[in-house]
């Protein structure tokens, strides 16, 4: 896909931003996020208040209010710690995520692989998709920005995510 940017502020009006790209192969979506965030913190006990990237993936692109069983919120902190949210039983999607993180000058880079075993990925497949960057300053989240969702409810409502079309 063309590179996308997190330019939709759901908290604050400036702070960490990311450029993200996606590739697919077999049953897996491969994601890259290059984050600009010069001051990194994991002080908060809440993972969404730590410097982190969240990828939201809806294999059916259902745009439903609540999460379906296959919808996932996949979060990776700047140090590579993963956490997953989504359906009532996140265990259904928890095993889908593998990720790595690397600090770089001025920020960090996240690589993630998200398995989507409930569908067959093919040329033209549409996935509900979003990217969110959480910017921590000390123990608080001081800003958050997404690619698409402007409501700040993307962690419990899939209907405002964007759409990713897979192409050969
Ligand atoms: C949201 C937080 C929410 C958290 C739950 C984040 O994406 O921005 O408000 O509490 O997800 O996992
Ligand atoms: Ca930060």
């Amino acid at each position: 896909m063309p590179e996308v940017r997190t330019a939709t502020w759901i908290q604050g009006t400036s702070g960490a931003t990311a450029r993200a790209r996606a590739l697919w192969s077999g049953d897996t979506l491969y994601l890259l996020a290059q984050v600009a965030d010069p001051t990194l913190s994991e002080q908060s006990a809440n993972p969404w208040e730590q410097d982190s990237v969240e990828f939201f993936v809806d294999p059916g692109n259902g745009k439903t209010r609540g999460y379906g069983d296959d919808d996932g919120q996949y979060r990776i902190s700047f140090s590579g710690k993963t956490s997953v949210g989504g359906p009532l039983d996140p265990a259904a999607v928890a095993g889908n995520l593998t990720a790595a993180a690397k600090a770089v000058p001025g920020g960090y880079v996240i690589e993630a692989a998200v398995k989507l075993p409930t569908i067959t990925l093919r040329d033209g497949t549409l996935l509900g998709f979003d990217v969110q960057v959480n910017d921590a300053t000390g123990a608080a989240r001081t800003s958050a920005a997404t690619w698409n969702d402007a409501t700040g409810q993307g962690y419990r409502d899939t209907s405002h995510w964007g759409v990713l079309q897979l192409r050969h």
Side-chain angles (χ1 to χ4, degrees), residues 16 37-41 51 134-137 142:
D37 184 349
T39 319
L40 300 177
S41 171
D51 282 312
N134 299 310
D135 189 358
T137 305
T142 44

Side-chain angles (χ1 to χ4, degrees), residues 10-11 47-48 54 56 73 75 85 132 134 141 144 152 154-155:
I10 58 168
Q11 179 185 344
W48 62 90
E54 300 177 11
F56 298 83
Q73 176 192 25
R75 185 188 298 103
Q132 176 175 323
N134 299 310
R141 187 173 75 174
Y155 69 99

Side-chain angles (χ1 to χ4, degrees), residues 16-165:
T17 53
R19 296 179 288 140
R21 309 206 59 159
L23 291 170
W24 61 285
S25 178
D27 67 351
T28 304
L29 188 64
Y30 295 93
L31 300 162
L32 173 72
Q34 295 173 273
V35 183
D37 184 349
T39 319
L40 300 177
S41 171
E42 277 177 345
Q43 279 179 37
S44 174
N46 296 323
W48 62 90
E49 295 180 315
Q50 303 172 354
D51 282 312
S52 55
V53 170
E54 300 177 11
F55 294 111
F56 298 83
V57 186
D58 171 0
N61 191 34
K63 295 282 177 286
T64 52
R65 302 277 317 263
Y67 274 55
D69 286 344
D70 55 346
D71 301 337
Q73 176 192 25
Y74 303 97
R75 185 188 298 103
I76 307 102
S77 76
F78 73 89
S79 71
K81 282 190 297 169
T82 58
S83 48
V84 173
L88 284 179
D89 178 13
V93 295
N96 291 349
L97 176 66
T98 313
K102 189 178 194 300
V104 296
Y108 59 101
V109 177
I110 298 289
E111 285 181 320
V114 178
K115 267 194 204 293
L116 301 174
T118 59
I119 57 167
T120 301
L121 302 183
R122 51 169 63 97
D123 189 38
T125 296
L126 300 180
L127 304 175
F129 182 72
D130 215 337
V131 186
Q132 176 175 323
V133 181
N134 299 310
D135 189 358
T137 305
R141 187 173 75 174
T142 44
S143 75
T146 72
W147 172 43
N148 253 276
D149 176 85
T151 69
Q153 301 297 307
Y155 69 99
R156 57 183 180 188
D157 178 344
T158 75
S159 64
H160 304 285
W161 301 356
V163 182
L164 199 64
Q165 182 176 44

